[in-house]
Amino acid sequence: MTKTKKKIYRVINSEDKTSIGGFYNIFMLICIILSLLPLTFKEYSDELWLIDKITVGVFIIDYVLRWWTADIKFKDKSIKSYLKYPFTPMAIVDLLSILPSLTVINNGLKALRMLRLGRVLRVFKIFRFFRYSKGIKLITDVLKNSKEKLIIVTLFAIAYVFGTALLVFNIEPDTFNNFFDAVYWATVSLTAVGCGDIYLTTEIGRLIAMISAFIGIAIIALPASILTSEFMNIIQNEKLKKKKSTSRKKK
């Protein structure tokens, strides 16, 4: 049983390099794509309903298997592993993508249906791609390694947005209905989007808008350069690992 359990764990966690592991990844990616198909229609047909139920059945099995192998994941055979797993980020995403498709729960949660939150929660299925796509895994590794730098840039951007919003809100109080409108304007100006629904009319306000646009270019460029640098570092490290492994095999 232990060997079978370890084998299942490796397969569902993309650690199995055999054809079984590759097939499982492809199969799950297809299921995720199919599960998103009903969300592209306003009303469900019988075919779409069937697709939704089949794919959610697959996701439930996958969720149960991951829960069953939680002791291997956390390297702890005690019950703590099984209690801890449902509260991990990806387990929560899995559960949120499954629950709206369960008829029993949907019938009980009428408020969710009225607010259409059940349909919105189904969009969480797209986050399952993070498990089965190597490209997305690479991106997550880049984000993890660049976390501190990105946090600093993000905090600077937030501070600048709120500072600019406070400034223009007091310079042109008639332009904005509330402070949120000022924050909205500062955000779209910083990102150089400029929707045009709110615009400044005074000379000082326009000067601030120009400065905000220039600073926005620099702030947007910073995360791009940080991510690109880290992306190249990871690729180079992977190449070095492959070279070392091939040289060891030759010896």
Side-chain angles (χ1 to χ4, degrees), residues 4-147:
T4 305
K5 195 174 186 179
K6 286 182 179 179
K7 178 68 176 178
I8 291 172
Y9 173 80
R10 290 178 62 82
V11 169
I12 63 178
N13 286 280
S14 304
E15 294 181 8
D16 188 15
K17 303 302 180 183
T18 64
S19 57
I20 297 173
F23 172 79
Y24 188 82
N25 280 350
I26 294 170
F27 173 72
M28 289 304 296
L29 285 170
I30 292 170
C31 286
I32 293 168
I33 293 169
L34 288 174
S35 70
L36 295 171
L37 185 62
L39 296 176
T40 61
F41 295 87
K42 288 185 176 181
E43 295 181 1
Y44 279 12
S45 63
D46 292 339
E47 293 79 8
L48 293 174
W49 181 87
L50 184 62
I51 290 171
D52 183 61
K53 297 308 172 186
I54 291 172
T55 53
V56 79
V58 172
F59 295 154
I60 290 171
I61 293 170
D62 180 76
Y63 182 84
V64 171
L65 289 175
R66 290 180 184 279
W67 202 347
W68 181 51
T69 57
D71 58 332
I72 300 174
K73 176 181 176 63
F74 297 113
K75 297 178 181 179
D76 183 5
K77 293 184 178 180
S78 67
I79 195 170
K80 290 180 181 178
S81 298
Y82 301 102
L83 295 174
K84 183 180 177 181
Y85 177 76
F87 300 99
T88 57
M90 286 307 299
I92 293 170
V93 169
D94 289 345
L95 193 61
L96 288 174
S97 67
I98 291 169
L99 290 180
S101 296
L102 299 180
T103 307
V104 175
I105 293 176
N106 267 343
N107 289 336
L109 299 177
K110 293 182 180 179
L112 278 179
R113 285 216 310 275
M114 287 175 65
L115 296 172
R116 302 188 68 81
L117 286 178
R119 189 176 177 87
V120 172
L121 286 174
R122 293 178 192 225
V123 178
F124 274 89
K125 292 174 184 177
I126 199 168
F127 291 105
R128 298 181 72 98
F129 274 111
F130 282 85
R131 275 212 177 102
Y132 306 104
S133 174
K134 292 181 180 179
I136 292 176
K137 187 180 182 301
L138 178 62
I139 293 171
T140 54
D141 290 339
V142 170
L143 291 173
K144 284 179 183 178
N145 295 341
S146 309
K147 181 172 63 176

Side-chain angles (χ1 to χ4, degrees), residues 198-209:
I198 300 175
Y199 55 89
L200 305 179
T201 55
T202 64
E203 291 182 359
I204 297 175
R206 289 175 179 175
L207 180 62
I208 292 171

